[in-house]
Amino acid sequence: MKQDKNPKLILFSILLLLLLSYPLITVANKAALVWGLPALYLYIFMVWIIAIAVIYSITAQQYKEPDE
Amino acid sequence: MNNIIAIISALLYLALLFGVAYYAEYRQRKGHSVINNGYVYALSLAVYCTAWTYYGSVGRAATNGPEFLTIYLGPTIAAVLFWPVLRKIIRICKTQRINSIADLISTRYGKNFSIAVVVTILCVLGVIPYIALQLKAISNSIHVLGANNMAEVGLGSFLQDDTFYITAVLSVFIILFGTRSIDASEKHEGLVAAVAFESIIKLVAFLAAGIFVVYGLFNGFGDVFTKAMASPQLKQLFQLGNNTSYATWLGLMMVSMLAVVFLPRQFQVSVVENMQEKHLNRAAWLFPLYLLLINVFVLPIALGGKLVFGGSGVDADTFVLALPLHFGQSWLGLLVFIGGFSAATSMIIVETIALSTMMSNNILTPLFLSAKKFKPVADGTLSSSILNIRRFSIVLILALAYVYDKTIAQYFSLVSIGLVSFAAVAQFAPAVLGGIYWKGASKNGAMAGICTGFVVWFFTLVIPSMVSAKILDESIMTQGLFGIGWLKPFSLFGIEGMDSITHSVFWSLLVNITTFVVVSLNTKQQAQEIYQAEIFVDIFKHSATPDSNTVWKGTAYLPDLHSLLENFLGPQRAQKILNNYALRNKIPLDTKRADPRLVSFAEKVLAGVIGSASARIMVSSVTKEEELKIDEVINILRESQQMMELNRELKKKSIELQKATQQLTLVNEQLKEMDSMKDEFLYTVTHELRTPITSIRAMAEIVYDNDDMDEEQRQTFLGNIIKETERLSHLITQVLNLERYESGRQKLNLTPVLINNLLSEGIEALQPLADEKKASLELQLPDTMFIVRCDADLLQQVMYNLLSNAIKFVEPATGLVKVSVHTNHDDIQIWVDDNGRGIPSGLNELIFDKFFQAKNQTLKKPQGSGLGLAICKKIVEMHNGKIWVESEEDKGSRFIFTLPNS
Amino acid sequence: MSNAYKILVVDDDPYILMSLEFLMKKNGYDVMVARNGTEAQELVEKQVPHLVLLDIMMPDVDGYEICRYIKKTPHLKDVKVVFMSAKTKEADIKKGYDLGAALYVTKPFSTRELVKQIKELLSS
C-alpha cells in the first residue's frame, strides 16, 4: 500500500526541537566535563548525530510518492 | 607573507572557480550534467555556511559559548522537513516557472505586482548588509594574513583597496555564469558546480585549521577542554551564559530554521537550482552532516585562541587564521584564508544572483518597459536589454554592498549583521507557509503581514544600527520613538530580557502573523487569487495534469502573442516553444485568434524571464482580457477537480484490474504447477506399479500355460508371485500413507513415548531382515531414559524405513547398522549409521524427494518403493523435527533425525 | 534346431528376467540374460544375438544407450531391438522407435503376445 514518510518526518522534527530546547536541554547545561568533553556540547552533538542517522533511515527508504 | 600573496592566491582561486564553472557548463552541453545528483545538491545548500560561519562562529563561541550552535541546529530541524515542505515549494515553483522568493509570494497572491516589489525591497535591505559582511570578512582576512594592522580604508581610497578588485572580479564571474540565459528559471549549472566546489574547499580548510589547533597546539580535545576548565572565565563557555537565555536559544534556532529556506541564496540553490525532487532525500541528512562537521572544531579553536592569545587583543573573529600564523604555519594560514575566501565568495555569488533576479524582474525591468511605452516589436533587442538590466542589477548590488561595507559595517561583528538578515527574511515565512497550506490566505493579508513585520524589524534592528553608526540620535534608544517610553527599539512595550535579535524576531513575527491572519480572514479574495490558492495548496493534484485548465478569458490574437514572445526570447526560440506546446496540446496555430491555453502558456514562459507579475502585465498589454467572475473561476476549478477525480478513479480502477490480472495469472501458474506435479506423481506411481504387475503377470501366465513344468519350478514361480504381490501392496500402502500425511488428514496421536523402547522395538522388528543378509544391527542407548511426546506408530515407521534402507545398502556379512541417541539442549537426535556405499555428494537432500530413486536410474534398486525417505521426512516434520543425512561415498551414511525435547 | 536364433534378455528385475528366460527357452531360442546395462553391452558385443529384449531403466547404462550403441556399431546393426518398459509416455515410445527399435512394448505386457511378436520379427 501507499506509504508516506511525511508523518514520520514531521513527528521527528517536533521531537528534535523538543530535545534541543528548554527544559530538556537543562539536563546538560552545566560547566562540567563528561568523558573529557563539555557536557552540553556532548549532549548536543549526540542528539545531532542521532538526528542525522534517523533522517537518513527515514529518507533512504523507498516510499511510493504520495502523488494524489 | 604579505597582502600581495593573499590577493594573488585569491585571484588564482577565482580563476580556478571559472574553470570549474566552465567545465560544468561544458559537461552540461555534452549532456552529462555534473550537478544532477543529491551530493552536489547537498553541497550547494552548504552555501548557508558563509564567512560568518567560518570566522564569526569562533568569535561568537569565544564570548557566548554554545550559542553559535543554534544557527546550525535550526537548519538541521528544517532539513527534517525538507521532504514534507520544501518539496511542495519546489513542485510549485517548477510548474509555475517561479524564479525567486518574491516571485513565489506574488504568484500565490494573484500575481500581484506591489507585493513583489515589497518583498524585493525587504530582501535587498535585509541582505545587502549580509553581502557587505562577506566583503568585510575578506578584507579582514587579507589584513590578518598580511599581518597589517586593521588600517581604516576610507571610501575615497578604494583604488588601493584589495576588496574592490575582488568585488570587481566577482561581479564579472557572476555576470558570466549568472546571466547566460534570458530565462531566469533555467538552471545555472556552472554556478552551482562552483558553489558546491567551494563548499568542499571551505570545509577542508576549516577542518585542517581545527585539527592543527586541537592536535598540533594541544593534545586533543580532552587537553583543550581540561585546560579551559581550569580558567573560571573560559569554563563559562561550556554552558549557556548570561547573554543567552533559553528564550534566545530557542529564538535563534527558530529564526535559523526559517532562514535556511527563505534567505534568497538558500531559495536559489534549494528551489530554483533544484534538478530533481528526490535529491532532497540525500540532502536531508547530508546537509546537517556538513553543518555538524564544520562546527566540531569551533569551540576548541575559540578556547585555543583564548588560551594562546589571552588578553592580547586579537579579535576572536580571526582566531582561525591568527592561530596558524602565530605559530609560523604560513601555508596552513594560506589554506585557511582560501577556505574563508571560498565561504565568502560562494555566498556573494549566489546571493547576488538571487537578488539581481528579483531586482531586475520586479523593479528595474517594469520601470524600463513602462518608460519605453512598450510596443510589441519583434526585433529581439528586448531580450538583450533585459539581460543588461540583470547585469546592471548585479553590479548595483555588489556596489551597494561595497559601500555599506566601507561605511557602516565596521561597527558590527560578523554574526550580528547576519542575524539581522535572518530576522528580515523570516518575515516571508507566514506569507509563504500560509500560502501553500491555507487557501484562505489573501493578498491583502500577506501584504499587511509582510509590511507590518518589516516595519517592526526595521524599527527594532535597523534603527539601532543607525544609532550606532551615529546616523540617528541616541535618544530614540533610551527614550523611545517620539519620546514614547514603550517604543524603545530594544524593549517594545517595556518587555525586556531578550537579546535584540530574539526581541525583534518575536515582535515582528507576532505582528506579522497576527495581521496576516486577521486581514486574510476579513478580506475577499479576487478570482485570480482563488485560482492560485487552489493550485498552490493542492499542487500535487494539479501538477499531475499540467496545462489541463486555464483561467484566462478574453480576446487575444496569435500574431500579437507571437511577437511578444519573440521580443523576449528571440524569433527562433519563441517559434519553437509555441510549436511544441501547440503540438503537445493539439492546438491549431494557423488561426488568428489565440487559444486561451496559449495565452496562459505564454504568460508562464514570460514569468520565467521577467517574473510572474511583469509577465501578467506584458500579456495583458497585447490582449483584451475580460475580468473573470468568481463563479467562473469556481466552475473551472470544479471542472478540473472533476477531471482529476475521474482521472484518479480511472487510474485506481486500472491499477486494481492490473493487480487482479496479475493475481489470476499467478494462481493459474500455481494450479498448472500443482497439476503437473500431481501428474508427475501419478505417472511415477503407476510406473512403479507396472514393474511388479509385469512380473506377476508374466509368472502367472507361465504357470498357467505350462502344465508340464516341474513342481519345484512351479513352486518358485508361485512363491515369487506372492512376494511381488506383497511388494505391490506395500507400495500402495506407502503411497496412500504419504498422501495422507501430505494432505494433513493424518492426525498425530501424541502420547509420552519412551524413546529407548521405541528404538529397541525397531531393531527387533528388523533383526530378521538383517539376519537374512548376515548384517549386524547394533543399538547404543544412553543410561538416561528419554521420554518424548510423539506418535509412536508413525515414529516406528520412520525407524523401520531408515533401518530397512540401511540394511539394503550394506554389503552382506560385513554390513553394520548402528542406532544411537544423542541429545543437546533443545532436541534429541537419533542417528542411524551404516557402513554401506554411501550417497554421492549433491544428492543428500534429493534423496528425501518422492520416488527419487525412480527418477535417478543410477540409484534405482535395490528394491523399495522410493517413498520411504519421503515418508520419514514428512513424519519427522509433523513432529517439528528435522531429518538429514551426512554421508561420504564408500564410507557409509548417517541418517539423523531430531525430535524436540519435551 | 529349427529355431536357433540367439536372444538376449536384459532386465534388472530378477522375476521378469527369470520369466522371460524361461519362456524364450521354452520356445526353442538360444537365451542369454543380463541384469544390467554393462553386462548387456558385453554380451551383445561378443555373442551378436539376433534379437535383444531390452528394459530401459537400469541402474548403470540405460536401454536407450544400449540401443544407440547397437545401431551405430557396424557388425551389430542388424540386431533387432525390442524395448520393454514401464515408460508409457508417447515421447518415450517415439524415442525408442527413433533409435531404431523394432518394437516397443509397455509393461505390463502379455507374454503370449510378446512371444508371438518375437516370432514374427525373427521370421521377417
Side-chain angles (χ1 to χ4, degrees):
Chain A
M1 275 329 281
K2 253 182 201 168
Q3 270 186 312
D4 187 354
K5 55 188 153 194
N6 285 351
K8 285 189 199 172
L9 289 167
I10 289 166
L11 276 180
F12 182 65
S13 71
I14 294 168
L15 177 71
L16 192 56
L17 186 63
L18 288 178
L19 282 172
L20 292 173
S21 9
Y22 182 84
L24 288 179
I25 203 169
T26 57
V27 175
N29 191 14
K30 45 185 134 309
L33 296 185
V34 178
W35 303 321
L37 301 170
L40 185 59
Y41 286 85
L42 186 66
Y43 172 78
I44 290 174
F45 277 97
M46 296 257 275
V47 170
W48 207 339
I49 289 170
I50 292 167
I52 290 166
V54 171
I55 302 173
Y56 174 80
S57 72
I58 299 176
T59 55
Q61 290 172 45
Q62 286 299 315
Y63 288 85
K64 280 200 178 155
E65 295 219 355
D67 276 345
E68 289 87 341
Chain B
M1 184 107 17
N2 56 36
N3 284 5
I4 302 300
I5 295 184
I7 294 168
I8 289 175
S9 322
L11 292 177
L12 282 176
Y13 174 77
L14 284 179
L16 181 62
L17 272 195
F18 274 86
V20 171
Y22 263 119
Y23 175 70
E25 293 200 341
Y26 166 77
R27 290 285 301 253
Q28 176 193 13
R29 281 195 298 277
K30 295 258 162 191
H32 303 288
S33 172
V34 286
I35 71 160
N36 191 4
N37 65 70
Y39 295 106
V40 171
Y41 181 67
L43 282 173
S44 72
L45 294 190
V47 72
Y48 182 75
C49 300
T50 62
W52 160 15
T53 303
Y54 200 85
Y55 295 114
S57 283
V58 173
R60 194 77 165 186
T63 55
N64 289 8
E67 186 208 84
F68 71 94
L69 287 173
T70 51
I71 309 302
Y72 309 95
L73 293 173
T76 299
I77 300 172
V80 183
L81 297 174
F82 273 0
W83 187 259
V85 180
L86 197 53
R87 176 167 165 262
K88 187 168 187 179
I89 297 180
I90 290 175
R91 179 70 66 92
I92 291 169
C93 291
K94 283 202 175 141
T95 49
Q96 303 281 311
R97 290 181 185 243
I98 288 167
N99 52 37
S100 70
I101 183 124
D103 210 8
L104 174 70
I105 295 174
S106 106
T107 307
R108 162 63 178 83
Y109 298 104
K111 304 186 177 171
N112 183 273
F113 196 75
S114 44
I115 205 165
V117 173
V118 170
V119 172
T120 304
I121 292 173
L122 183 51
C123 279
V124 170
L125 283 181
V127 175
I128 283 196
Y130 198 3
I131 300 177
L133 167 90
Q134 309 300 318
L135 295 175
K136 181 187 172 192
I138 293 176
S139 65
N140 278 2
S141 62
I142 292 177
H143 291 303
V144 173
L145 198 66
N148 279 5
N149 286 332
M150 297 270 279
E152 294 298 332
V153 185
L155 194 54
S157 59
F158 70 87
L159 284 178
Q160 292 117 49
D161 181 10
D162 7 340
T163 327
F164 176 79
Y165 296 109
I166 286 167
T167 314
V169 176
L170 273 176
S171 65
V172 172
F173 181 83
I174 300 169
I175 287 171
L176 261 182
F177 293 100
T179 57
R180 191 106 325 165
S181 161
I182 178 98
D183 187 348
S185 65
E186 276 190 6
K187 316 283 176 238
H188 305 96
E189 293 217 0
L191 275 183
V192 174
V195 166
F197 173 76
E198 298 209 86
S199 291
I200 297 173
I201 298 293
K202 67 192 176 200
L203 180 62
V204 169
F206 195 85
L207 291 179
I211 291 168
F212 167 72
V213 171
V214 171
Y215 294 100
L217 302 183
F218 295 87
N219 291 319
F221 285 100
D223 187 36
V224 183
F225 292 134
T226 318
K227 288 202 172 111
M229 193 73 184
S231 149
Q233 196 200 343
L234 293 186
K235 192 175 144 183
Q236 290 310 310
L237 300 180
F238 288 175
Q239 58 180 342
L240 294 183
N242 299 333
N243 296 335
T244 317
S245 62
Y246 288 118
T248 299
W249 177 268
L250 183 64
L252 292 180
M253 212 150 70
M254 298 297 277
V255 75
S256 327
M257 197 174 152
L258 297 176
V260 82
V261 178
F262 296 115
L263 276 171
R265 69 170 187 283
Q266 294 303 130
F267 191 86
Q268 184 77 27
V269 286
S270 63
V271 179
V272 180
E273 307 289 352
N274 173 276
M275 305 276 280
Q276 293 182 42
E277 285 173 11
K278 68 175 186 196
H279 293 163
L280 283 173
N281 281 325
R282 191 152 280 156
W285 61 270
L286 214 52
F287 175 53
L289 181 63
Y290 186 99
L291 296 180
L292 183 145
L293 288 177
I294 210 164
N295 274 295
V296 167
F297 288 107
V298 170
L299 183 70
I301 294 175
L303 296 173
K306 284 272 179 190
L307 287 168
V308 169
F309 297 121
S312 68
V314 176
D315 184 359
D317 276 355
T318 64
F319 277 174
V320 192
L321 192 52
L323 277 171
L325 292 179
H326 183 73
F327 290 93
Q329 300 284 332
S330 335
W331 288 110
L332 180 60
L334 193 62
L335 175 67
V336 171
F337 165 74
I338 289 297
F341 186 67
S342 72
T345 50
S346 61
M347 183 279 185
I348 296 172
I349 290 168
V350 183
E351 203 82 88
T352 307
I353 286 284
L355 281 185
S356 71
T357 306
M358 277 193 255
M359 200 188 242
S360 67
N361 279 356
N362 300 320
I363 299 179
L364 298 179
T365 306
L367 281 178
F368 167 77
L369 291 175
S370 61
K372 220 182 159 193
K373 289 278 175 236
F374 178 78
K375 279 205 183 66
V377 204
D379 56 0
T381 49
L382 205 49
S383 87
S384 63
S385 306
I386 288 177
L387 278 179
N388 283 333
I389 290 175
R390 222 177 276 157
R391 289 174 188 136
F392 171 72
S393 310
I394 289 170
V395 174
L396 180 65
I397 288 162
L398 285 173
L400 284 174
Y402 180 78
V403 171
Y404 187 95
D405 171 39
K406 293 301 162 202
T407 52
I408 308 178
Q410 47 190 303
Y411 299 101
F412 303 99
S413 76
L414 294 179
V415 171
S416 54
I417 300 181
L419 283 175
V420 171
S421 293
F422 277 28
V425 296
Q427 305 309 321
F428 306 139
V432 172
L433 296 176
I436 65 174
Y437 289 108
W438 178 34
K439 287 182 194 173
S442 79
K443 176 193 79 193
N444 292 339
M447 188 71 164
I450 291 175
C451 287
T452 52
F454 180 34
V455 168
V456 175
W457 166 79
F458 192 87
F459 184 66
T460 52
L461 286 176
V462 182
I463 296 280
S465 77
M466 291 164 91
V467 172
S468 313
K470 311 268 192 285
I471 296 169
L472 289 176
D473 188 65
E474 203 173 336
S475 66
I476 192 171
M477 301 300 295
T478 49
Q479 332 241 299
L481 185 64
F482 312 124
I484 305 171
W486 49 270
L487 281 184
K488 289 185 214 160
F490 280 167
S491 51
L492 283 181
F493 304 100
I495 293 182
E496 311 219 1
M498 286 185 275
D499 68 297
S500 60
I501 298 289
T502 314
H503 173 266
S504 170
V505 169
F506 172 75
W507 283 114
S508 58
L509 279 184
L510 182 71
V511 170
N512 182 334
I513 294 170
T514 313
T515 323
F516 171 59
V517 173
V518 170
V519 175
S520 285
L521 288 176
N522 290 295
T523 49
K524 230 177 166 180
Q525 288 173 307
Q526 288 170 344
Q528 192 47 251
E529 271 183 86
I530 293 179
Y531 180 70
Q532 291 295 341
E534 167 72 25
I535 299 276
F536 270 51
V537 174
D538 289 332
I539 185 68
F540 290 112
K541 285 191 208 162
H542 292 282
S543 60
T545 50
D547 318 330
S548 66
N549 48 71
T550 43
V551 281
W552 196 84
K553 191 180 150 199
T555 336
Y557 294 98
L558 200 52
D560 293 346
L561 212 55
H562 200 225
S563 60
L564 177 69
L565 283 180
E566 279 185 349
N567 260 298
F568 286 92
L569 304 170
Q572 282 176 332
R573 213 163 143 222
Q575 190 64 48
K576 203 171 128 194
I577 284 183
L578 271 183
N579 281 348
N580 284 348
Y581 181 82
L583 206 64
R584 210 169 51 236
N585 293 283
K586 303 191 179 66
I587 302 170
L589 274 183
D590 47 6
T591 54
K592 196 153 178 276
R593 287 270 191 108
D595 188 289
R597 279 174 291 173
L598 272 181
V599 180
S600 268
F601 173 70
E603 190 183 317
K604 249 188 220 168
V605 171
L606 278 187
V609 179
I610 52 174
S612 57
S614 305
R616 190 163 165 72
I617 295 173
M618 279 294 109
V619 170
S620 56
S621 76
V622 297
T623 58
K624 231 188 258 156
E625 182 173 5
E626 290 163 33
E627 183 69 32
L628 272 175
K629 293 192 191 74
I630 301 253
D631 53 344
E632 283 177 308
V633 171
I634 289 171
N635 270 340
I636 292 169
L637 287 176
R638 193 179 296 143
E639 269 171 32
S640 74
Q641 191 80 23
Q642 281 165 351
M643 273 267 281
M644 281 182 311
E645 257 154 36
L646 200 66
N647 261 340
R648 198 160 49 218
E649 204 59 33
L650 274 173
K651 206 166 141 191
K652 217 165 94 188
K653 279 270 147 59
S654 88
I655 288 174
E656 275 167 14
L657 199 68
Q658 226 175 344
K659 269 191 194 149
T661 318
Q662 274 172 359
Q663 269 168 355
L664 272 177
T665 320
L666 196 74
V667 168
N668 195 21
E669 266 163 25
Q670 280 172 342
L671 276 177
K672 266 190 204 160
E673 198 179 322
M674 274 168 63
D675 211 37
S676 76
M677 269 164 64
K678 196 99 191 164
D679 274 358
E680 182 78 23
F681 182 71
L682 268 178
Y683 177 74
T684 324
V685 168
T686 52
H687 177 259
E688 287 300 295
L689 292 174
R690 281 171 200 279
T691 308
I693 291 175
T694 307
S695 52
I696 291 171
R697 180 169 180 180
M699 292 185 287
E701 280 175 351
I702 289 170
V703 174
Y704 186 87
D705 289 344
N706 297 280
D707 300 331
D708 53 341
M709 65 199 301
D710 55 56
E711 193 53 30
E712 196 185 335
Q713 224 168 4
R714 186 192 300 272
Q715 283 299 323
T716 316
F717 276 113
L718 288 175
N720 288 343
I721 289 174
I722 292 166
K723 267 190 210 154
E724 283 292 89
T725 318
E726 275 169 5
R727 180 175 150 200
L728 201 55
S729 56
H730 177 66
L731 181 62
I732 290 167
T733 316
Q734 295 227 307
V735 168
L736 292 177
N737 277 350
L738 186 64
E739 205 274 330
R740 202 167 62 233
Y741 304 151
E742 287 195 330
S743 68
R745 274 187 291 116
Q746 172 77 32
K747 293 280 176 295
L748 288 184
N749 176 22
L750 292 178
T751 50
V753 173
L754 205 51
I755 291 295
N756 308 45
N757 288 356
L758 187 108
L759 298 184
S760 344
E761 281 164 23
I763 294 275
E764 226 167 89
L766 280 146
Q767 197 61 53
L769 192 65
D771 290 346
E772 196 179 306
K773 208 171 176 180
K774 299 210 170 52
S776 355
L777 264 184
E778 246 180 55
L779 176 62
Q780 278 183 355
L781 280 179
D783 297 336
T784 11
M785 298 292 231
F786 292 105
I787 296 179
V788 172
R789 274 182 70 79
C790 61
D791 187 317
D793 289 343
L794 292 187
L795 282 184
Q796 205 58 265
Q797 267 192 55
V798 174
M799 284 313 295
Y800 183 92
N801 286 341
L802 290 181
L803 284 173
S804 59
N805 265 353
I807 294 168
K808 264 180 242 163
F809 280 99
V810 295
E811 296 298 318
T814 56
L816 173 66
V817 177
K818 199 167 75 187
V819 177
S820 52
V821 183
H822 304 261
T823 173
N824 64 20
H825 192 66
D826 298 317
D827 48 28
I828 291 174
Q829 292 189 349
I830 291 148
W831 294 6
V832 177
D833 293 87
D834 68 61
N835 60 352
R837 63 174 122 114
I839 293 157
S841 58
L843 299 180
N844 287 359
E845 285 180 22
L846 293 176
I847 56 169
F848 292 99
D849 285 355
K850 290 177 276 198
F851 294 122
F852 170 72
Q853 287 189 15
K855 284 178 234 160
N856 291 269
Q857 306 177 11
T858 50
L859 277 181
K860 187 191 169 190
K861 317 286 160 69
Q863 311 106 42
S865 61
L867 289 175
L869 287 176
I871 287 173
C872 290
K873 184 168 187 225
K874 203 69 219 173
I875 292 175
V876 171
E877 280 172 355
M878 282 160 73
H879 283 87
N880 295 322
K882 278 181 291 193
I883 186 166
W884 69 97
V885 65
E886 294 165 1
S887 173
E888 228 177 295
E889 266 192 279
D890 300 327
K891 293 242 173 95
S893 316
R894 168 176 295 162
F895 282 83
I896 301 171
F897 69 95
T898 67
L899 293 171
N901 207 343
S902 44
Chain C
M1 274 255 205
S2 56
N3 268 331
Y5 292 112
K6 274 196 274 187
I7 291 184
L8 172 63
V9 184
V10 188
D11 201 306
D12 61 340
D13 184 290
Y15 304 124
I16 294 177
L17 200 61
M18 181 181 159
S19 312
L20 291 178
E21 186 185 7
F22 178 90
L23 274 173
M24 294 302 122
K25 267 192 186 148
K26 177 132 197 303
N27 282 280
Y29 299 114
D30 190 356
V31 189
M32 298 164 283
V33 294
R35 294 172 165 276
N36 55 49
T38 326
E39 266 180 50
Q41 236 161 346
E42 276 171 26
L43 281 171
V44 171
E45 186 75 30
K46 276 190 210 144
Q47 304 288 334
V48 197
H50 294 91
L51 186 142
V52 184
L53 279 172
L54 191 53
D55 184 18
I56 291 176
M57 288 171 60
M58 286 179 296
D60 47 359
V61 186
D62 81 26
Y64 291 133
E65 209 46 56
I66 297 171
C67 180
R68 192 175 290 127
Y69 174 78
I70 290 173
K71 291 300 166 190
K72 76 169 192 215
T73 312
H75 73 281
L76 297 178
K77 68 174 193 298
D78 292 333
V79 176
K80 293 194 165 74
V81 175
V82 175
F83 281 123
M84 341 169 266
S85 175
K87 285 157 107 64
T88 53
K89 281 189 189 155
E90 200 78 31
D92 296 321
I93 297 174
K94 185 172 183 300
K95 186 176 173 189
Y97 281 117
D98 286 350
L99 285 171
L103 189 64
Y104 190 115
V105 293
T106 54
K107 291 178 179 175
F109 48 81
S110 152
T111 50
R112 300 160 184 170
E113 193 68 25
L114 182 67
V115 170
K116 229 184 265 171
Q117 281 165 326
I118 288 175
K119 243 177 220 159
E120 274 168 29
L121 273 177
L122 286 173
S123 63
S124 67

